[in-house]
Amino acid sequence: MCGAPSGRDHVVCELCMDTRQILQVVLGLIVLMIVATTGYIIFTFAKPTTASVVQQVIVEEGVAIEPPNPWSLQGGAAIELVKAGRVTAPAVAPAGEEPKGKKGKSEGPETVQMSVGELLVRPGFVEDTLKIAKAKPSGWKVEWWGDTKHGETFYMVRYALKDAEIEIGPTWLVNLDPKRRKVVPKNALARAVMAPLGVEKDPYFDKREQVVAAIVAHRFEAGINLGGALLNYFEGRGQSAEGDSILGWTLEHDRGTLYRAFFQWIESGQPTYAEFEFDYEAKGLKAVNLQAANVMREGEDFVKRERAVAMPESFDPTQPAKKRWVEGACSNRKLLRKNAKVRDQCKALAMILSQREIVESLEWLLTSQVESSESFKECQADRACRWSAVVKEDGVYNVSYLYKLEGKEERKVGWEVTLKGERVTPLDRTSTAAWRAIKPRD
């Protein structure tokens, strides 16, 4: 303690007081530093932020934003140029009245002058003249062709008709260059619009049935045709689910000798299609998308073997209709005259057997499911593989091919045949694929 100090003790007491003061000063400085630091942190992170607005975009020197080509914005003008074209069309009069118009050069049908736009929306023109029954108009469409070899002033203009998921229709190539302004039909449908009175003279107009027949007849190295490849392709995809359906072929002449062919179907609720390009003169077939390539691969990978023959020996589809039954009850004219039931049954069966492409497609499907043609012949001999025609109601028959191959369950491919009007309706997925494979949708 420092009370009543003497000499040496007094010195020690003063030293104690100095040390205490020094410690108090140091402690005060530390407290001040802590307070200052805390205040700075609070000021730095708690102060309000300010937003900075960039008034001008600085573009790196040498990099410029390229404005759109002014020609690319003229699609509407291209459409109007096509619609304004004048054509000579057959006159149409209300029911019970004579058509009003001018006579043709050789006293032909009454005609009228009208614009392309007016003609395309005239009732019945698309169905009766363009021969397109199922597709529905979806309006004018335009595509700038500035990136093609034609040049920046060119457009492709189409009056679109939607068939299921595919758009087809008359198409024109339009040049908007003021010095060379021109509208040229690109496909046969457009030529039919520009000259509806001479539509039958166009070698590529309304050739859908011929094109489909030629496509289905396309042969692969193993001998299988495209119809058989299609049937095997759908067989390999398993049983159909609810809502699945096979829609068939949509055809459109594209340009020159080329056609675009789409085989459409719905699978798992999703519409899809196999797209092909077909050269009508060279009979060349090319897959355009993945689905078409898969169908083609089905034919290319098919193992070469003798085709199973499902056509009855008693029927010859190459003969005239009245001579196709060459033996058996259906060839007995005396029996057919007396027995109407047998006669109708034979006629119903002949309606399916006469479709040679359908029968051949079915034969390739059967060929893929047996080890050899001999085993298939044994199936026929045992009557496990056979044709059947059973009456459903008056004038309506279910015609089927039944087959039970090598210990497997019996299966049936069937069609409903209505004798009046000779109408055929597929009854299952395989028969639908076989029928749609040989028939255009229209």
Side-chain angles (χ1 to χ4, degrees):
M1 297 294 297
C2 289
S6 62
R8 191 166 62 101
D9 292 335
H10 178 73
V11 173
V12 173
C13 189
E14 288 182 349
L15 289 172
C16 287
M17 293 178 63
D18 292 341
T19 302
R20 185 180 301 159
Q21 290 175 348
I22 291 170
L23 290 174
Q24 289 175 344
V25 171
V26 171
L27 182 60
L29 289 173
I30 291 173
V31 171
L32 288 172
M33 290 178 65
I34 292 173
V35 172
T37 303
T38 303
Y40 175 76
I41 292 172
I42 293 173
F43 174 77
T44 301
F45 290 97
K47 70 176 181 178
T49 59
T50 57
S52 60
V53 179
V54 178
Q55 299 293 339
Q56 182 177 0
V57 177
I58 299 175
V59 180
E60 184 181 347
E61 187 176 353
V63 179
I65 299 177
E66 187 174 337
N69 188 315
W71 285 110
S72 69
L73 308 176
Q74 301 299 313
I79 291 175
E80 291 304 318
L81 191 60
V82 173
K83 293 173 67 175
R86 305 297 294 178
V87 296
T88 301
V92 176
E97 295 184 18
E98 290 294 325
K100 296 179 181 179
K102 296 180 179 180
K103 284 285 186 179
K105 291 183 179 180
S106 58
E107 294 300 313
E110 300 284 350
T111 62
V112 293
Q113 292 289 315
M114 60 196 316
S115 71
V116 167
E118 293 170 333
L119 182 61
L120 281 168
V121 296
R122 192 171 80 174
F125 178 75
V126 171
E127 295 83 354
D128 300 334
T129 302
L130 298 187
K131 310 296 184 184
I132 300 176
K134 289 192 174 183
K136 303 302 179 185
S138 57
W140 289 91
K141 304 294 176 70
V142 63
E143 179 184 347
W144 183 48
W145 273 27
D147 295 331
T148 70
K149 65 179 181 179
H150 294 279
E152 62 183 6
T153 62
F154 281 83
Y155 278 88
M156 186 178 73
V157 175
R158 168 184 294 233
Y159 182 70
L161 301 162
K162 195 168 186 179
D163 183 26
E165 294 301 314
I166 300 298
E167 283 189 339
I168 60 175
T171 308
W172 293 264
L173 193 60
V174 180
N175 185 0
L176 291 179
D177 186 337
K179 297 180 180 180
R180 295 177 294 172
R181 181 166 293 186
K182 196 172 184 180
V183 174
V184 178
K186 180 176 179 284
N187 61 6
L189 286 175
R191 294 196 292 266
V193 173
M194 304 304 285
L197 293 173
V199 64
E200 69 281 351
K201 299 178 181 178
D202 194 303
Y204 300 107
F205 176 75
D206 196 25
K207 290 291 190 293
R208 283 170 292 214
E209 289 192 7
Q210 296 91 323
V211 171
V212 168
I215 290 175
V216 173
H218 176 82
R219 295 282 172 188
F220 297 93
E221 187 175 347
I224 185 173
N225 64 1
L226 187 79
L230 267 171
L231 218 55
N232 276 281
Y233 176 76
F234 284 106
E235 185 73 12
R237 300 186 74 80
Q239 295 298 316
S240 62
E242 185 177 354
D244 288 1
S245 60
I246 297 174
L247 306 179
W249 290 104
T250 296
L251 274 294
E252 179 187 44
H253 176 251
D254 184 39
R255 67 190 187 279
T257 63
L258 298 180
Y259 284 82
R260 298 165 70 219
F262 306 85
F263 193 83
Q264 299 191 71
W265 69 93
I266 298 174
E267 186 172 8
S268 300
Q270 296 297 317
T272 187
Y273 58 86
E275 180 181 356
F276 301 87
E277 183 181 271
F278 181 71
D279 189 316
Y280 187 71
E281 301 299 335
K283 300 296 182 284
L285 184 66
K286 182 173 71 174
V288 175
N289 66 353
L290 177 61
Q291 288 77 10
N294 289 337
V295 173
M296 296 286 279
R297 191 174 298 112
E298 193 73 42
E300 292 162 356
D301 294 344
F302 195 83
V303 178
K304 189 172 185 177
R305 64 179 80 174
E306 184 180 350
R307 188 176 86 212
V309 179
M311 184 70 73
E313 293 182 355
S314 58
F315 189 83
D316 185 354
T318 64
Q319 294 296 321
K322 292 183 179 181
K323 297 181 178 180
R324 287 177 180 170
W325 289 106
V326 293
E327 60 181 60
C330 291
S331 65
N332 188 330
R333 297 190 177 184
K334 184 176 180 180
L335 172 64
L336 297 180
R337 282 195 298 268
K338 291 182 178 180
N339 194 324
K341 181 180 179 181
V342 174
R343 182 177 65 247
D344 287 349
Q345 187 180 38
C346 292
K347 185 178 180 180
L349 186 54
M351 282 179 61
I352 298 299
L353 296 178
S354 297
Q355 305 287 340
R356 286 184 289 170
E357 297 89 349
I358 286 183
V359 177
E360 183 179 346
S361 298
L362 178 61
E363 288 174 339
W364 285 116
L365 175 62
L366 296 169
T367 302
S368 69
Q369 297 185 17
V370 295
E371 293 183 356
S372 66
S373 61
E374 293 302 320
S375 61
F376 182 72
K377 291 176 182 177
E378 292 175 5
C379 179
Q380 289 179 310
D382 296 337
R383 299 289 297 162
C385 297
R386 67 192 186 281
W387 287 96
S388 169
V390 178
V391 63
K392 180 181 179 181
E393 56 187 81
D394 187 28
V396 180
Y397 284 79
N398 284 342
V399 176
S400 308
Y401 191 80
L402 300 96
Y403 59 100
K404 190 174 186 298
L405 300 172
E406 300 173 352
K408 299 178 183 178
E409 293 184 0
E410 183 177 76
R411 296 190 59 183
K412 179 171 67 174
V413 182
W415 299 264
E416 182 181 280
V417 175
T418 303
L419 298 180
K420 186 177 181 180
E422 298 187 346
R423 189 171 66 251
V424 176
T425 305
L427 296 176
D428 53 73
R429 190 188 193 195
T430 302
S431 63
T432 300
W435 184 261
R436 300 293 186 200
I438 70 166
K439 301 287 185 182
R441 281 172 53 78
D442 276 330

